[in-house]
Amino acid sequence: MINVLASCFILLISLMCFSGADAEIITASGCSVSMSGYLTGFAREYEKRTGVRVLVRGSGSIAGMEDLKSRRVDFAASCRKKFPADPADIEFIQVAWDAMVFIVHTSNPLENISIDQAMDILSGRTTNWKQLNGKDLPVKIFASEPGQGLSGIEHNVKEMLFNGREAPRLRNKIPLASSGIVEQIIEKTPEGFAVSGFSSARYRSVKMLKLNNVRPSRDNISSNKYPFKRPLFLLVPIDPKPEVRKFVAFALSTDGQKLIGSLGAVSLMDEK
Amino acid sequence: MKNETYFVLMKTPLQVKVSVFIALIIAVSSLVPTFFFNSALNKNLDRELIARGETLGYSLSRAAVEGISTENLDLIRSAGFIVQAEGVELSQVFSTVWNAIDAYPFERLSEHPHPDALNHFKTSNAPFLIRTDKHYEFYNPVIYRPDNTSAELLFGYTRISLSSGNIRKAAGNVIAVNILISVLITIIAVFAVNYIINRFVLKPIVSLHNSMRKLKDGLPPDTLPVSPQGEIGELIEKFTEMSAAVRDKEEKLVASQQKLTSLFDRVGHAIFTTDNNCNIIRTNKRFEEMFGKYPANICDISSSGIEALNYVRQGSPGAIINKEEKVININGAELLIMISLYPEMEQTGSFSGFDGYIIDITEKKRLEEELLQSQKMEAIGTLAGGIAHDFNNMLQIILGYASFLKLNLSENDPMYPPIISIERSANRAADLTKQLLGFARGGKYIVSSVNLNEVVNTIIRIVSRTFDKAIEIKTDLWPGLRLIEADQSQLEQVLMNLCINARDAMPGGGVLKIDTFNFEGRPVHEAGPGKWSVVRITDTGAGIDRNIINRIFEPFFTTKETGKGTGIGLAMVYGVIKNHGGHITVESETGKGSVFTIYLPAAEKQKEAVTVESKSIDYGKGLILVVDDEEIVRDICRTILETTGYDVIEAPDGIAAVELYSQKKDSIVAVILDMVMPKMNGKETFLKLKEINPEVRVLLSSGFTIDETAREILGAGAGGFIQKPYNISKFSKALSELLARS
């Protein structure tokens, strides 16, 4: 009898699990840095642990916000803070840290860059790598600027480099959909230059330049040696699906933060 | 504009029209199927393009799912490569908010999607097609379905842009080839059909047309080509027959027309045609001879207009008008014409003009007037002769007894002067009747060969003594002038009368000229040809008015004051000339003078003759038979005969005379025979007497001048002629001459 009952329980649990697994899918899109930096791995681990399937994809902070607004996804990721114009029914919940990094092709001899040099490039004053003692190649800037509002990187550049002013439009700046795409383009472009996030760039075969001779690393960021630290958010509606709520709660939990740290990103717990 | 097009179309030759028509039909029948074929081809190519685009769009959207979901550019790019094929101009992969993630070619990454596509995908996830002139754009959503039961997840969008240009170009090539073939076929077909139609239809018809045109223009039609079979052949055959018939008729018509025209021009009368305003349209040659070439209007030939036209205007225009009119000919001379107008009416009944002809009746009228005048003169002459005969008988008594009384009275007798007065008055009366008889028919007394120059000289001698010296007298006498048979004294009287008239016409003086000459031919219209002696009396006087010139030879017609002229002078002149078989003409111009020309027939025997008249009384003896129906004449005759020594027996008529003569033919030495008697006239009586005695001596006596009857009797053997009244001297002389002859 006990066996029969045990068998039935197991079957029921299995059914419940199966049916639960079948029903428990939550989707997310948004910030490429977050996606590549931690969220994809985090979601995979969460699914393993909870059985809730979390489908995430990088599309840029703006696309994520839009997907969420139109309920195409259950939650989104962003690497910028909430603006007043952003919908009030979307909450910005910080779950990790990141830092803005300057990336070039691996063949670029440049190793370090000063803030001024970076400003010269982004202001159009430096247009050839030889001005920075590099090869005689024109500088091609790739930027995550989808053009329907400020992307996370755009916002950070504006705030951190141009003191709140808009970065100038340059002829040698090529706007792209998201930082993920930018990083992949830099991988293939010897004369490329871009601003991206530390969390995702560390997975790409690109060269992250030292800034004022400070290497962008988890420690330097968490210790604030490396400037341009920035938060990474999860965006959820104010009435999220329970699974989302659970997911966020997990991310903010100690286990969750440990998981983020284990994925190489700077967790909230890493902040010193 | 429409009309112009129409006329241009009408003027285009038949061959061109047919060629164009055929070309159009062939072109249309060739090009229309080409058009439909091309249209179907276009549709098929279009359908094919869409199918291809849809397939490619779907493929890209499927292939891009993984790349987008992992934000793996390589995967996305691989998906883009899959759909690269001919005609694919652009492939793009967009995020859900239409940020271009990747593009091929990459330079066109930032190319924005079509706004219609954005709008479409706001409400639908169905694929979307946008057609522009050059491109077909296929938009597809990138959908991911985690498993069969999951809801669709939208990852982004794809865009495939296919160039429709290639397809259109391909279609265009096909169309171009089709059209080229169609055009070639059209051209070949047009030439072929044209050749066939031209050879077998148009050429014969055009030849026919040219021949018709030549026929219309009056030229001989072309020899038509050998007729093809069928309707056209038949048409040509009929036309050839018809044109031959038409030519034949036309030639006859032309000949007839030429004949008519010739006749028209040869007619001796002026013929003309006018329009309804009497403007001359056509004339014949005679008209041109009379009035010149083309007077503008028929009224122009007369200064006072054509009266006949007034008749037309006033009366019925349909009537035929014949009217005498006076017109002016081309030389400015006035003509008397008979104009005939034949009004021409149109079918509508309106008057269209005149046909007319003009006969010149000037000469005819003149002759008629001359004839009338001549008849009048003859009537007057007959009348005057009759009066003179009776008058002479009466004068014969007066003169006879006067001369008898004078013979028996001494000059101292108180009765002698009255007797002389009676005799003188009777002689004057006798002169008057002599002149009257000169005018009247048959008034020649004594005919002899006369030289007119001598007559003129006699007169000149008289007039040069008696006329005013203010009148210069000239003569121009032709020495070889022909002699004439005439009564010299009558001619003297004629010339005297004419000279006196000339003098009276020149009261202030002037020139009187008399000239003579020979003339051969017809001096006047009514005269026969012959040789003439002519005397012409010319003065520079007042001239004779045109209106009366025809009447001047009438007896008792005078323009002189009462008492100054008897009106017998020129009548006598006329009568004497006519009695001598001559002619007299007069030309005169008022204020310039007159010319009287006398033509007298030349004598056949040209010899000199001089008549000498003796005033003495010849006495004789023997028995004389006096035959006269008037007793008083017989009495005076007896008195004269007895006075001059003869014995007398009397007979009151011819019958009694014949009877008496037969009884006493041996004793009767001569017969005084009156010409005009009742019962038996002088001629009959003479013939009876001649039967009794062929040698009978007869002195004819008549109150008339010598006439044809008298001439006949004289020719038959009568001894002489004496005109009443006669005096003793003349009578006795005539009788003694008669008796001396035998």
Side-chain angles (χ1 to χ4, degrees):
Chain A
M1 183 65 190
I2 292 170
N3 287 336
V4 171
L5 284 172
S7 297
C8 289
F9 180 71
I10 290 166
L11 183 64
L12 182 66
I13 294 298
S14 302
L15 281 171
M16 281 176 67
C17 287
F18 184 79
S19 60
D22 193 39
E24 299 294 322
I25 293 177
I26 55 173
T27 58
S29 69
C31 174
S32 301
V33 175
S34 301
M35 293 299 167
S36 301
Y38 75 95
L39 201 50
T40 306
F42 187 85
R44 206 173 290 132
E45 187 58 31
Y46 182 76
E47 189 179 338
K48 279 182 187 168
R49 293 186 189 185
T50 61
V52 175
R53 203 173 165 196
V54 182
L55 293 176
V56 297
R57 60 184 179 88
S59 60
S61 299
I62 291 170
M65 169 79 86
E66 291 301 316
D67 283 346
L68 183 61
K69 276 201 276 184
S70 56
R71 296 293 188 261
R72 282 196 290 266
V73 292
D74 300 317
F75 68 100
S78 177
C79 54
R80 67 164 174 81
K81 63 180 183 182
K82 187 175 184 178
F83 297 152
D86 291 331
D89 58 352
I90 292 174
E91 286 183 276
F92 281 60
I93 300 162
Q94 189 184 358
V95 289
W97 288 102
D98 183 49
M100 195 171 70
V101 294
F102 302 104
I103 58 171
V104 294
H105 192 261
T106 50
S107 66
N108 197 315
L110 196 65
E111 296 292 333
N112 179 56
I113 194 167
S114 66
I115 291 174
D116 291 342
Q117 284 173 330
M119 282 289 285
D120 285 346
I121 291 174
L122 293 171
S123 302
R125 287 188 289 275
T126 297
T127 56
N128 194 301
W129 288 112
K130 86 183 161 183
Q131 290 172 269
L132 297 173
N133 298 320
K135 293 178 183 171
D136 184 13
L137 287 170
V139 178
K140 275 187 185 173
I141 305 166
F142 297 93
S144 170
E145 292 179 6
Q148 294 171 328
L150 286 178
S151 67
I153 292 294
E154 273 182 290
H155 169 69
N156 296 144
V157 168
K158 179 184 170 185
E159 292 295 320
M160 294 176 184
L161 287 174
F162 288 91
N163 295 323
R165 285 181 285 110
E166 292 281 338
R169 292 175 182 278
L170 299 176
R171 279 185 150 193
N172 59 342
K173 185 162 75 177
I174 296 120
L176 294 170
S178 64
S179 295
I181 303 300
V182 170
E183 287 164 355
Q184 291 175 68
I185 293 288
I186 290 294
E187 282 179 338
K188 297 178 174 69
T189 311
E191 63 271 41
F193 175 83
V195 184
S196 190
F198 164 77
S199 306
S200 56
R202 64 197 170 99
Y203 287 116
R204 307 288 185 183
S205 56
V206 296
K207 186 187 278 184
M208 284 191 285
L209 294 176
K210 295 175 188 169
L211 183 62
N212 293 338
N213 288 315
V214 179
R215 179 187 300 275
S217 63
R218 196 176 159 205
D219 287 343
N220 286 339
I221 293 166
S222 60
S223 62
N224 292 323
K225 282 182 185 171
Y226 186 88
F228 303 156
K229 190 163 90 175
R230 58 175 193 157
L232 297 177
F233 301 95
L234 288 181
L235 275 50
V236 291
I238 52 172
D239 53 344
K241 284 181 178 175
E243 290 77 15
V244 173
R245 196 184 297 276
K246 284 177 189 166
F247 180 81
V248 173
F250 176 71
L252 291 173
S253 68
T254 306
D255 280 352
Q257 285 297 310
K258 280 181 182 172
L259 181 57
I260 289 170
S262 69
L263 291 170
V266 183
S267 69
L268 296 177
M269 290 166 67
D270 292 328
E271 193 178 19
K272 292 172 180 171
Chain B
M1 187 65 195
K2 197 176 175 184
N3 279 342
E4 277 175 32
T5 312
Y6 178 74
F7 282 125
V8 168
L9 204 62
M10 290 306 287
K11 277 184 180 177
T12 311
L14 177 66
Q15 195 167 345
V16 175
K17 278 191 275 195
V18 170
S19 299
V20 169
F21 184 67
I22 290 168
L24 282 175
I25 287 178
I26 293 174
V28 167
S29 53
S30 166
L31 290 175
V32 164
T34 305
F35 171 79
F36 282 113
F37 169 76
N38 290 334
S39 178
L41 180 70
N42 264 333
K43 276 183 188 168
N44 278 338
L45 287 172
D46 201 50
R47 235 175 272 143
E48 193 180 300
L49 186 71
I50 290 169
R52 186 158 168 258
E54 284 173 351
T55 307
L56 288 172
Y58 179 74
S59 301
L60 179 60
S61 70
R62 295 297 296 167
V65 171
E66 193 174 354
I68 293 174
S69 67
T70 57
E71 209 178 3
N72 187 326
L73 192 58
D74 286 340
L75 287 179
I76 294 171
R77 205 156 267 184
S78 300
F81 283 134
I82 290 169
V83 297
Q84 291 315 308
E86 190 188 349
V88 177
E89 289 187 325
L90 173 66
S91 66
Q92 276 177 307
V93 178
F94 297 97
S95 69
T96 51
V97 291
W98 292 100
N99 293 328
I101 298 166
D102 187 30
Y104 188 89
F106 189 71
E107 305 86 74
R108 295 177 64 181
L109 176 73
S110 55
E111 210 163 277
H112 293 295
H114 200 282
D116 289 350
L118 298 185
N119 286 333
H120 168 78
F121 287 110
K122 277 179 185 169
T123 55
S124 169
N125 274 340
F128 185 62
L129 168 63
I130 289 174
R131 298 177 205 218
T132 64
D133 284 345
K134 294 180 179 173
H135 319 284
Y136 283 14
E137 293 186 350
F138 299 87
Y139 290 87
N140 286 73
V142 180
I143 301 289
Y144 175 65
R145 202 188 273 268
D147 52 51
N148 288 338
T149 56
S150 300
E152 288 181 344
L153 298 177
L154 179 70
F155 279 10
Y157 303 99
T158 60
R159 173 202 212 180
I160 296 276
S161 178
L162 290 183
S163 164
S164 59
N166 284 344
I167 288 169
R168 294 201 191 284
K169 195 176 167 187
N173 288 341
V174 174
I175 289 167
V177 169
N178 278 347
I179 288 174
L180 191 67
I181 291 168
S182 299
V183 168
L184 279 175
I185 289 171
T186 302
I187 289 170
I188 291 165
V190 163
F191 273 102
V193 174
N194 240 342
Y195 173 77
I196 292 164
I197 290 180
N198 194 29
R199 173 74 182 77
F200 296 105
V201 180
L202 282 181
K203 205 171 172 184
I205 288 178
V206 169
S207 300
L208 197 61
H209 171 252
N210 289 337
S211 292
M212 280 179 175
R213 198 160 52 189
K214 284 191 172 180
L215 190 67
K216 187 195 119 198
D217 294 341
L219 299 169
D222 296 333
T223 306
L224 291 169
V226 178
S227 309
Q229 299 296 315
E231 293 86 346
I232 292 172
E234 201 173 324
L235 183 65
I236 287 175
E237 197 180 329
K238 293 294 174 198
F239 172 76
T240 308
E241 286 173 21
M242 186 196 76
S243 64
V246 168
R247 289 289 299 171
D248 187 44
K249 282 184 180 171
E250 201 172 58
E251 279 167 10
K252 283 179 182 167
L253 194 64
V254 167
S256 167
Q257 185 68 33
Q258 281 172 347
K259 205 170 179 181
L260 274 178
T261 305
S262 169
L263 190 64
F264 182 68
D265 278 336
R266 275 185 292 156
V267 167
H269 304 318
I271 303 177
F272 60 90
T273 303
T274 76
D275 63 13
N276 59 359
N277 289 319
C278 300
N279 293 318
I280 292 171
I281 299 166
R282 191 180 175 200
T283 63
N284 70 344
K285 277 188 182 168
R286 178 63 183 141
F287 188 96
E288 288 170 21
E289 286 165 12
M290 283 175 78
F291 303 109
K293 255 196 170 179
Y294 306 123
N297 195 288
I298 191 64
C299 294
D300 294 347
I301 64 171
S302 168
S303 54
S304 57
I306 299 294
E307 204 183 335
L309 294 174
N310 293 333
Y311 279 78
V312 178
R313 288 184 190 116
Q314 289 163 13
S316 158
I320 297 166
I321 309 295
N322 293 300
K323 193 90 177 65
E324 282 185 17
E325 303 268 357
K326 281 184 178 171
V327 296
I328 308 295
N329 74 0
I330 191 170
N331 301 319
E334 188 176 84
L335 298 180
L336 191 62
I337 57 150
M338 170 67 79
I339 185 167
S340 300
L341 296 175
Y342 297 84
E344 290 292 328
M345 312 305 285
E346 287 177 352
Q347 286 186 339
T348 54
S350 60
F351 169 62
S352 64
F354 285 115
D355 287 334
Y357 65 86
I358 290 171
I359 304 173
D360 182 2
I361 56 170
T362 314
E363 186 63 16
K364 183 180 165 222
K365 274 282 162 187
R366 195 183 65 75
L367 290 175
E368 276 177 9
E369 277 177 22
E370 272 184 15
L371 180 64
L372 200 64
Q373 184 68 13
S374 167
Q375 285 170 345
K376 191 161 80 177
M377 297 296 267
E378 193 173 335
I380 293 168
T382 306
L383 183 65
I387 293 167
H389 174 257
D390 290 343
F391 206 57
N392 276 347
N393 277 349
M394 288 177 248
L395 285 173
Q396 180 60 56
I397 294 156
I398 297 166
L399 268 178
Y401 281 116
S403 57
F404 175 71
L405 287 172
K406 196 175 77 177
L407 203 65
N408 293 320
L409 290 173
S410 72
E411 289 183 8
N412 299 326
D413 194 290
M415 289 305 287
Y416 193 80
I419 293 295
I420 294 298
S421 292
I422 289 167
E423 192 181 43
R424 198 175 289 155
S425 292
N427 274 326
R428 281 177 63 194
D431 278 345
L432 195 62
T433 45
K434 195 177 168 186
Q435 293 216 14
L436 202 55
L437 279 170
F439 165 73
R441 187 174 52 180
K444 270 192 285 189
Y445 295 120
I446 300 159
V447 178
S448 59
S449 285
V450 175
N451 188 335
L452 263 177
N453 286 344
E454 286 183 7
V455 180
V456 172
N457 283 331
T458 305
I459 295 303
I460 290 296
R461 275 196 297 275
I462 298 166
V463 299
S464 58
R465 279 202 307 272
T466 55
F467 281 14
D468 193 324
K469 297 298 176 197
I471 294 172
E472 186 188 351
I473 296 162
K474 290 181 178 176
T475 55
D476 182 6
L477 306 180
W478 181 247
L481 195 65
R482 293 192 184 97
L483 299 177
I484 55 171
E485 290 287 328
D487 185 325
Q488 183 162 345
S489 65
Q490 283 189 348
L491 289 184
E492 286 169 1
Q493 192 61 52
V494 162
L495 289 185
M496 182 55 83
N497 284 353
L498 289 173
C499 288
I500 288 166
N501 278 350
R503 181 199 65 190
D504 293 345
M506 300 184 287
V511 178
L512 169 63
K513 184 182 176 189
I514 303 177
D515 53 340
T516 59
F517 53 89
N518 289 329
F519 176 81
E520 277 194 46
R522 300 166 71 126
V524 290
H525 189 267
E526 66 269 24
K531 295 179 177 178
W532 309 83
S533 287
V534 186
V535 58
R536 187 162 59 191
I537 297 97
T538 307
D539 70 60
T540 57
I544 304 162
D545 193 283
R546 284 175 66 92
N547 295 327
I548 60 163
I549 201 160
N550 286 339
R551 299 187 63 198
I552 58 171
F553 294 115
E554 290 178 19
F556 313 113
F557 179 83
T558 179
T559 57
K560 294 175 181 172
E561 291 170 33
T562 310
K564 286 197 174 177
T566 58
I568 204 74
L570 283 176
M572 178 264 171
V573 167
Y574 182 85
V576 168
I577 301 304
K578 284 290 168 191
N579 287 338
H580 282 78
H583 300 281
I584 182 166
T585 65
V586 57
E587 296 161 53
S588 185
E589 195 171 342
T590 310
K592 288 193 175 176
S594 306
V595 180
F596 285 87
T597 310
I598 294 165
Y599 298 87
L600 290 164
E604 289 178 6
K605 293 177 183 174
Q606 297 291 314
K607 60 177 184 181
E608 286 292 332
V610 179
T611 307
V612 181
E613 191 177 344
S614 168
K615 297 274 183 183
S616 62
I617 298 168
D618 287 358
Y619 293 89
K621 59 180 181 183
L623 183 62
I624 305 294
L625 173 60
V626 175
V627 187
D628 202 309
D629 57 324
E630 288 193 44
E631 188 180 359
I632 195 161
V633 173
R634 288 199 306 273
D635 285 348
I636 189 67
C637 197
R638 171 188 283 275
T639 305
I640 290 169
L641 287 169
E642 284 176 356
T643 304
T644 52
Y646 295 100
D647 296 324
V648 176
I649 55 170
E650 296 176 28
D653 54 45
I655 296 165
V658 171
E659 195 177 332
L660 268 176
Y661 187 77
S662 62
Q663 288 168 7
K664 299 182 177 181
K665 62 180 178 187
D666 296 332
S667 54
I668 293 170
V669 294
V671 180
I672 310 298
L673 181 59
D674 188 19
M675 291 285 292
V676 183
M677 288 184 299
K679 294 182 184 175
M680 185 183 283
N681 64 23
K683 186 183 176 183
E684 288 166 343
T685 307
F686 170 75
L687 292 174
K688 290 282 183 189
L689 293 177
K690 201 169 172 62
E691 283 176 12
I692 297 165
N693 177 15
E695 302 298 325
V696 65
R697 285 177 288 221
V698 175
L699 182 64
L700 293 171
S701 163
S702 175
F704 293 106
T705 53
I706 191 164
D707 60 7
E708 281 305 309
T709 313
R711 256 187 252 281
E712 278 180 33
I713 300 170
L714 287 170
F721 178 84
I722 188 161
Q723 188 186 3
K724 298 172 192 172
Y726 44 79
N727 56 22
I728 291 175
S729 169
K730 201 182 269 183
F731 187 78
S732 64
K733 184 143 189 75
L735 188 57
S736 64
E737 278 179 6
L738 175 72
L739 292 172
R741 220 177 269 174
S742 43

